[in-house]
Amino acid sequence: MYNSKISGLGYFVPDNVVTNSDLSKVMDTNDEWIQERTGIKERRHVVKGEDTTSTMGVKAAKIAIERAGIDKDDIDFIVFATLSPDYYFPGPGVQVQRDLGIKTIGAIDIRNQCSGFVYAISLADQYIKSGMYKNVLVIGSELHSGGLDMTSRGRGVSVIFGDGAGAVVLTREEDNSKGILSTHLHSEGAHAEELSLIAPGMGKRWVLDILKDNDPNDESYFPYMNGQFVFKNAVVRFSEVIMEGLKANNLEVTDIDMLIPHQANLRISQFIQRKFRLKDDQVYNNIMKYGNTTAASIPIALTEAWEQGKIKEGDLVVLAAFGSGFTWGSAIIRW
Ligand code: UT7
């Protein structure tokens, strides 16, 4: 059995900055409400036509591959996590294979929303642990802005989300005390609809139904979130799955050097920080600048923290996520 380690990492966010006051010009919201409830000051939105989920993923991937010091043809497999693919099908994994000009390796897409990146590296880690692959490219990328209800009706959701991408290369590590020590994944489908976008889908409303009804009050193709219910579940599940990961490795909260929580809401991160008595420099947050970028939030935050020298060799890095599904998970990494 091998371990896998993060050998390269990168991120890309669009240049276009959308501030809270920009949003207040198109919907009934304000900077004070958004900052107080979420911590978000601004987010990035793609300028239509300039980028897509797959092209942002490719840009982040190129940086990660270069930093890993490998050639694109050394990559054995691609894992792409997103809830906002360019196409209904195929998923963006194959677009990355094409756009990077990589030979006909396998590509898979992960549909686990905010937990997508943790699920994605867990999957990649198993392929490497088993010896099947040596280098796996893992991407989390989202283009939310094109699919949000940018009117007052959608303000409870639309102010939160932003666009961006992050990527890592996972590489075989022979030393079992280093790299990804373990990953822990959970789901609770009883709450599938509490944070969801149900149309178009084969379950309730397909495209033809939407076109036929042509109903201006139709909200089924915009994301829905039962905010307070999601919040309450998030704080519990984040805490549980971090503890589960530490316990599995005989580690304590005091062993954590850097916690990178999925950037769902600054208040959730602060709650966990307080609960675990972590110092400010032990938790990395960037939701203030980028909003919630779902599957991209952890790899963007991880890359930024690493670029700023906040993660050093030997550090214990914990990734944790919770979101739609509900799904949640953690990864315990010895850097
Ligand atoms: O990433 C996946 C996981 N996601 C999460 O973990 C998110 C969890 N939930 C949350 O972060 C919070 O629930 C939100 C930030 C989404 C909402 O905050 P909240 O404190 O739960 O607000 P609320 O939904 O209970 O709404 C409170 C009030 C309502 O007005 P009334 O009914 O009290 O008059 C809303 O209509 O705030 C109003 N409101 C807004 N006001 C100004 C909702 N959105 C806005 C807005 N601007 N953008």
Side-chain angles (χ1 to χ4, degrees):
M1 280 263 285
Y2 302 103
N3 262 14
S4 68
K5 68 170 180 204
I6 293 177
S7 58
L9 63 179
Y11 77 94
F12 170 83
V13 288
D15 290 336
N16 181 35
V17 176
V18 177
T19 64
N20 293 342
S21 83
D22 290 334
L23 292 179
S24 71
K25 290 177 192 133
V26 295
M27 64 181 79
D28 180 16
T29 190
N30 56 78
D31 180 52
E32 196 190 351
W33 190 97
I34 301 173
Q35 283 211 50
E36 193 185 305
R37 308 277 175 140
T38 70
I40 300 167
K41 294 181 178 173
E42 57 190 42
R43 73 288 291 141
R44 305 295 176 97
H45 283 179
V46 162
V47 173
K48 199 165 184 200
E50 282 188 4
D51 263 305
T52 67
T53 294
S54 74
T55 65
M56 288 192 290
V58 166
K59 287 175 185 176
K62 282 184 176 165
I63 300 167
I65 293 167
E66 197 191 328
R67 286 177 172 165
I70 59 168
D71 187 81
K72 63 181 171 53
D73 290 319
D74 296 326
I75 293 168
D76 302 309
F77 195 67
I78 298 165
V79 187
F80 199 123
T82 189
L83 65 69
S84 50
D86 294 11
Y87 306 141
Y88 192 82
F89 71 83
V94 297
Q95 292 173 291
V96 171
Q97 177 269 323
R98 177 191 64 198
D99 295 348
L100 286 178
I102 305 179
K103 57 188 186 295
T104 56
I105 57 170
I108 196 168
D109 300 282
I110 299 277
R111 292 286 311 269
N112 282 70
Q113 300 70 247
C114 299
S115 314
F117 186 76
V118 172
Y119 269 75
I121 60 164
S122 178
L123 184 87
D125 181 47
Q126 308 316 309
Y127 281 129
I128 290 175
K129 276 198 166 67
S130 69
M132 185 164 171
Y133 297 131
K134 202 169 168 198
N135 293 302
V136 180
L137 174 63
V138 182
I139 299 171
S141 179
E142 305 284 2
L143 197 165
H144 285 301
S145 57
L148 298 171
D149 181 357
M150 298 299 275
T151 69
S152 298
R153 185 179 67 175
R155 66 182 183 169
V157 172
S158 300
V159 301
I160 297 167
F161 293 101
D163 302 338
V168 301
V169 175
L170 284 190
T171 298
R172 182 187 289 175
E173 165 64 60
E174 316 255 341
D175 180 348
N176 280 342
S177 66
K178 284 189 190 158
I180 297 181
L181 303 181
S182 63
T183 54
H184 307 269
L185 308 176
H186 295 278
S187 70
E188 192 176 25
H191 304 310
E193 284 78 23
E194 301 293 353
L195 175 47
S196 60
L197 193 158
I198 62 161
M202 305 299 176
K204 291 210 166 120
R205 282 173 71 68
W206 180 232
V207 181
L208 296 178
D209 300 309
I210 297 168
L211 291 175
K212 181 164 62 66
D213 293 350
N214 192 22
D215 175 4
N217 298 317
D218 187 3
E219 295 177 58
S220 65
Y221 46 83
F222 290 122
Y224 165 78
M225 174 159 64
N226 182 351
Q228 294 201 3
F229 184 71
V230 175
F231 192 105
K232 281 179 197 148
N233 278 268
V235 290
V236 173
R237 298 310 193 183
F238 265 109
S239 307
E240 271 179 17
V241 83
I242 292 167
M243 286 313 296
E244 180 187 348
L246 292 172
K247 218 171 153 194
N249 294 284
N250 293 318
L251 294 163
E252 309 281 340
V253 171
T254 48
D255 293 315
I256 297 176
D257 293 299
M258 178 58 77
L259 170 65
I260 311 266
H262 159 56
Q263 301 292 291
N265 183 321
L266 190 61
R267 308 297 160 232
I268 294 176
S269 296
Q270 288 169 335
F271 177 90
I272 296 159
Q273 180 177 341
R274 272 197 306 275
K275 185 168 178 192
F276 290 162
R277 294 169 199 257
L278 297 170
K279 297 194 218 91
D280 286 350
D281 61 0
Q282 290 173 294
V283 184
Y284 190 83
N285 290 302
N286 60 10
I287 190 168
M288 306 73 94
K289 300 190 287 182
Y290 303 133
N292 177 344
T293 57
T294 315
S297 93
I298 289 181
I300 294 174
L302 185 65
T303 305
E304 277 197 348
W306 176 80
E307 285 176 350
Q308 292 166 18
K310 293 183 172 167
I311 299 176
K312 293 173 292 301
E313 199 172 343
D315 278 356
L316 188 77
V317 179
V318 176
L319 314 181
F322 173 88
S324 162
F326 292 151
T327 58
W328 62 101
S330 64
I332 311 295
I333 303 172
R334 181 66 69 190
W335 203 263

